Amino acid sequence: MIEAMDISITKTARSKLQDLELDNIPFGKYFTDHMLEADYKNGEWQNIQIKPYQPLLFEPSLSALHYGQAIFEGMKAYKDNNGDTFLFRPYDNFHRFNISAARMNMPEISEEIFIEGLRQLLKMDKSWIPPMRDHSLYIRPLMFATDTALGVKPSDTYKFMIILSPTGPYYAEPMKIAVEEKYTRAAPGGVGFAKNAGNYGGSMLAATVAREEGYDQVLWTDAFEHKWLQEVGMMNVFFVINGIVITPTLDDGCILAGVTRSSAITLLKEMGLVVEERKIHIDELLEAYKRGLLEETFGTGTAATIALICELKYKDHIMRFSLDRWKIAPALRKSITDIREGTRDDKYGWMVKV
Ligand code: COI
């Protein structure tokens, strides 16, 4: 366990926390006093350190910048009424990190460094966890290739890091989403299921075009027909059609296996709802909307939590929703919030005390 892990700790001389008001802070703008770092060299992880948050110094030939071996995770830490720190399903993120690593031909990280290293880091920076409702400490583990050479090959060296950022809600308002029919995020056999940096880089242009047309994000569709719905890039997506909850299947490896997605499926089933994980075609959605059967549509994600979607656009079709009549997404949001805040029984053991 942690005692066996050789970890060097350097504390900051002055906490930046005294300069910051934690209420209503934007997502991902401020970082805590410390960060964790480990280096992969000669086939093993070494040089594990926690030190003051600071810039990194690299040569311009850094392999990750050229060939994109870079992955990350998103997790959250909360404080309960007794001041204890909890993580939400951290082992799920740890496993997914290593799934992303394997797909990107990168080395796996050990549970000791990822989970126990994170525990140590959180113990040092726990006063940065905002106590306010809908606020949390966002955790960003990342790994990238650090060879300094231009040959196209998997790097021999990597850096693993964890940085922490206090945050308020990512999407405070209901979202307007455009169904994407030109650009592609993922195809079978590709890297759509991995949380690698390139998936996000490749989505920027489509999101910018959508924003110019008044939409917050795009809903990705399949690479061949642009008809089968995938995910929103920063979140998985759910539709309630005639009382049945439908979410795109993970089967073809094109979408991220969201931890919030999986929690939502469990809680929705517990609410007595039928949840179908399957392929869903845009025409099925349009038809349901026309017949008044498309009842709710929402996204799930670590940063986004449960984000309500108030408008969906596909070609010239605009699907608008009156959120005030919705029951399922608000109930789901409340269940997850209650589990996180400790006011609802955590019967699946999702909250892990630090
Ligand atoms: C998350 O929900 O944690 C994400 O990684 C989405 C985004 C902020 C990149």
Side-chain angles (χ1 to χ4, degrees):
M1 296 310 297
I2 195 72
E3 288 78 31
M5 187 165 72
D6 193 5
I7 178 162
S8 120
I9 294 181
T10 313
K11 286 194 176 156
T12 185
R14 179 187 178 276
S15 174
K16 299 174 289 184
L17 187 54
Q18 51 200 292
D19 310 328
L20 193 66
E21 189 57 65
L22 282 182
D23 206 356
N24 274 322
I25 31 177
F27 176 82
K29 184 159 182 213
Y30 300 102
F31 298 94
T32 64
D33 287 327
H34 300 95
M35 62 188 194
L36 180 138
E37 231 180 284
D39 294 308
Y40 185 83
K41 232 192 298 189
N42 303 324
E44 60 180 13
W45 287 103
Q46 46 194 276
N47 193 25
I48 307 155
Q49 7 170 2
I50 293 177
K51 60 187 190 187
Y53 183 90
Q54 59 191 270
L56 302 169
L57 188 63
F58 286 115
E59 292 186 35
S61 57
L62 186 84
S63 165
L65 298 178
H66 301 263
Y67 306 128
Q69 280 184 295
I71 60 169
F72 68 96
E73 265 304 324
M75 310 159 70
K76 280 179 174 171
Y78 304 85
K79 219 182 251 177
D80 73 0
N81 291 337
N82 303 321
D84 289 325
T85 305
F86 287 87
L87 289 162
F88 186 75
R89 307 188 69 173
Y91 293 94
D92 295 63
N93 293 92
F94 164 63
H95 290 306
R96 191 173 64 186
F97 192 77
N98 279 337
I99 289 171
S100 300
R103 178 61 185 88
M104 298 304 290
N105 206 345
M106 299 164 82
E108 290 196 350
I109 191 85
S110 67
E111 183 176 322
E112 212 171 34
I113 299 175
F114 190 103
I115 300 282
E116 297 304 329
L118 175 58
R119 274 184 206 269
Q120 289 270 4
L121 181 63
L122 282 173
K123 278 188 180 153
M124 289 172 65
D125 282 350
K126 65 171 187 265
S127 47
W128 284 80
I129 304 175
M132 292 77 73
R133 199 153 222 253
D134 294 331
H135 288 59
S136 60
L137 187 64
Y138 184 79
I139 300 163
R140 174 53 63 87
L142 65 151
M143 191 206 297
F144 55 93
T146 52
D147 277 7
T148 47
L150 294 184
V152 182
K153 68 171 197 47
S155 183
D156 289 325
T157 61
Y158 295 86
K159 191 175 279 296
F160 171 75
M161 302 191 72
I162 305 179
I163 55 174
L164 309 172
S165 175
T167 185
Y170 196 96
Y171 297 117
E173 297 299 323
M175 297 178 71
K176 291 168 74 178
I177 305 278
V179 177
E180 181 59 50
E181 35 169 345
K182 176 176 178 190
Y183 300 108
T184 297
R185 176 185 175 276
V191 294
F193 64 90
K195 210 161 171 64
N196 70 306
N199 279 341
Y200 296 81
S203 75
M204 301 289 179
L205 179 60
T208 299
V209 173
R211 224 165 283 131
E212 283 164 4
E213 292 171 9
Y215 290 87
D216 298 303
Q217 281 293 337
V218 300
L219 170 53
W220 293 102
T221 51
D222 70 288
F224 307 106
E225 299 175 67
H226 287 300
K227 298 272 187 201
W228 298 95
L229 306 176
Q230 293 182 337
E231 59 154 83
V232 179
M234 286 199 294
M235 50 190 207
N236 295 113
V237 72
F238 286 71
F239 308 100
V240 184
I241 299 182
N242 203 16
I244 293 177
V245 187
I246 303 161
T247 190
T249 172
L250 303 176
D251 281 354
D252 61 4
C254 286
I255 67 174
L256 198 75
V259 177
T260 313
R261 174 187 182 276
S262 130
S263 312
I265 291 171
T266 302
L267 293 173
L268 290 164
K269 286 184 177 165
E270 206 183 286
M271 285 157 63
L273 292 157
V274 175
V275 183
E276 296 177 357
E277 293 179 68
R278 63 166 167 86
K279 289 181 75 170
I280 174 157
H281 196 280
I282 185 64
D283 289 349
E284 179 183 350
L285 214 61
L286 283 173
E287 185 58 26
Y289 181 78
K290 280 184 203 147
R291 294 171 58 202
L293 299 176
L294 180 52
E295 290 152 3
E296 300 188 24
T297 142
F298 55 92
T300 62
T302 298
T305 60
I306 307 297
L308 309 187
I309 297 172
C310 61
E311 186 172 318
L312 268 174
K313 172 187 163 292
Y314 175 67
K315 296 189 190 290
D316 294 334
H317 307 279
I318 309 282
M319 295 177 259
R320 287 205 182 90
F321 306 97
S322 320
L323 309 186
D324 44 329
R325 290 208 300 272
W326 288 14
K327 297 238 165 13
I328 295 172
L332 174 64
R333 184 190 262 173
K334 181 170 181 336
S335 299
I336 291 200
T337 307
D338 288 351
I339 291 172
R340 285 172 175 166
E341 290 181 350
T343 55
R344 181 188 160 113
D345 182 25
D346 174 25
K347 64 178 176 192
Y348 305 104
W350 288 342
M351 301 302 287
V352 174
K353 195 168 166 179
V354 174

